[in-house]
Amino acid sequence: MKFLPTDEQQAFVRSLGAILSAADTPAAARAWAAGDPAPGRALWSRLAAAGVFALAVPEAYEGVGPLPVELALAFVELGRHAVPGPVVETAAAAVLVAELGDPVLAKRLLPAIAAGDLLVSLCLPAAGPYALDADAADCVLVADRHLRIAPGHGPVRASADPARRLAVPDDGGEVPATGPRVAAAAARAADWARLATAAQAVGVGLALLERTVAYAAQRAQFGAPIGSFQAVKHRLADTLIALEFARPLLHGAALSMAPADIAAAKAAAGEAAYTAARAALQLHGAVGYTEELDLALWLRKARPLRDAWGTPSQCRAAVLDTA
């Protein structure tokens, strides 16, 4: 079975890719990692204007969603261009608020998320104690037995990717919802976060593969481009196969939104991105380790994205639990 985007979806992806190509996302990612969120916030506004966050917001609250297929396609582009910030968490937070069914809270938060005026991080204790980029977010939603809007964050925890800062949300804050409905909404938000992270991972893997193929065609050894060597061809082919296997799983999961399908897509996408990172690092040689090379922006994302919102083993267990 083939999952082919419609003409409208393809036009949206091309438009988003053009916006990101013109935005110098590597510079924004480096500034974000250095603690300067201004370029990233400017990029965030461009993404919102393109309708990225509105995809997770219902039409009743100035969104166009929920549209998981379009969101997955968009997040592949965000991964391909190394967009910094809690983009996954903001989209998942929109789903959480919408699923709660509280019109007052929804009217307060969702239009601002769709417009790009509210940058939100999300912490679901069942998925781990940390919130991504809580120091740069306007607020942190913490959902367990109740929903809490946390005002800030605790000490930042080191990450393999400097542009992904993890922190434990501060105690206290407003509690606008409580009870079983919070747990149900949090579970649905976690599914969307897992789907969006899988899409980001596919995008990161594609970017790494594209850059490695280009480098292998330029770098010469023994009088020939290394890309002409059979072992290098096989390594790149294995990477491509992993990514091409993950992509239809991602599209299928976005169509069904079944938790098991999403888990399968996340496991495959995370492993494919990590495979692409290992191949890119080896084939770039010593230059691949340098901080000055933009390749590092994607290399450092592959492992954290593989484990975020469900490690491969957790995702495989989720698939087996429904078998």
Side-chain angles (χ1 to χ4, degrees):
M1 182 180 294
K2 294 183 179 180
F3 298 98
L4 296 177
T6 66
D7 291 342
E8 185 177 359
Q9 290 167 341
Q10 290 176 353
F12 171 61
V13 169
R14 286 194 298 270
S15 174
L16 185 58
I19 291 170
L20 292 171
S21 295
D24 194 5
T25 53
R30 291 184 188 281
W32 192 278
D36 176 13
R41 294 296 295 248
L43 179 58
W44 194 279
S45 297
R46 295 190 189 99
L47 295 176
V52 170
F53 301 111
L55 297 172
V57 175
E59 292 184 19
Y61 299 101
E62 302 181 25
V64 296
L67 294 175
V69 173
E70 285 76 5
L71 183 130
L73 293 172
F75 272 72
V76 170
E77 290 303 303
L78 301 193
R80 192 195 291 266
H81 290 273
V83 172
V87 287
V88 166
E89 288 69 22
T90 295
V95 172
L96 172 62
V97 172
E99 290 284 328
L100 281 173
D102 182 337
V104 175
L105 183 64
K107 188 174 182 179
R108 172 184 162 190
L109 299 181
L110 294 182
I113 289 176
D117 297 331
L118 190 66
L119 192 157
V120 184
S121 191
L122 179 66
C123 180
L124 304 182
Y130 299 105
L132 177 66
D133 294 321
D135 56 329
D138 297 308
C139 67
V140 180
L141 298 188
V142 184
D144 194 357
R145 290 173 305 218
H146 55 261
L147 176 67
R148 180 167 58 89
I149 303 178
H153 62 89
V156 174
R157 179 174 180 263
S159 170
D161 179 5
R164 291 177 59 87
R165 297 185 299 277
L166 303 174
V168 177
D170 287 342
D171 294 332
E174 178 187 355
V175 180
T178 189
R181 63 191 178 124
V182 174
R188 197 57 178 160
D191 286 338
W192 278 70
R194 184 170 282 183
L195 177 76
T197 303
Q200 263 193 320
V202 168
V204 166
L206 290 171
L208 286 165
L209 179 61
E210 290 165 3
R211 283 160 174 77
T212 307
V213 168
Y215 184 76
Q218 297 172 358
R219 180 186 171 194
Q221 198 156 20
F222 305 113
I226 64 169
S228 65
F229 301 157
Q230 195 75 0
V232 173
K233 290 180 180 179
H234 286 173
R235 189 71 186 271
L236 293 173
D238 288 343
T239 302
L240 177 61
I241 289 170
L243 289 165
E244 289 303 313
F245 177 73
R247 194 172 351 208
L249 288 177
L250 174 68
H251 294 168
L255 284 169
S256 74
M257 287 306 289
D261 292 345
I262 294 171
K266 175 60 171 58
E271 295 286 28
Y274 191 51
T275 295
R278 289 169 62 91
L281 187 60
Q282 181 182 22
L283 296 180
H284 275 80
V287 72
Y289 287 92
T290 62
E291 190 68 35
E292 293 77 16
L293 192 68
D294 282 347
L295 184 78
L297 299 174
W298 287 269
L299 283 175
R300 289 184 161 188
K301 286 188 179 301
R303 181 63 181 266
L305 287 176
R306 187 186 76 160
D307 295 340
W309 296 103
T311 65
S313 61
Q314 290 171 333
C315 289
R316 293 187 186 102
V319 174
L320 291 174
D321 284 345
T322 60

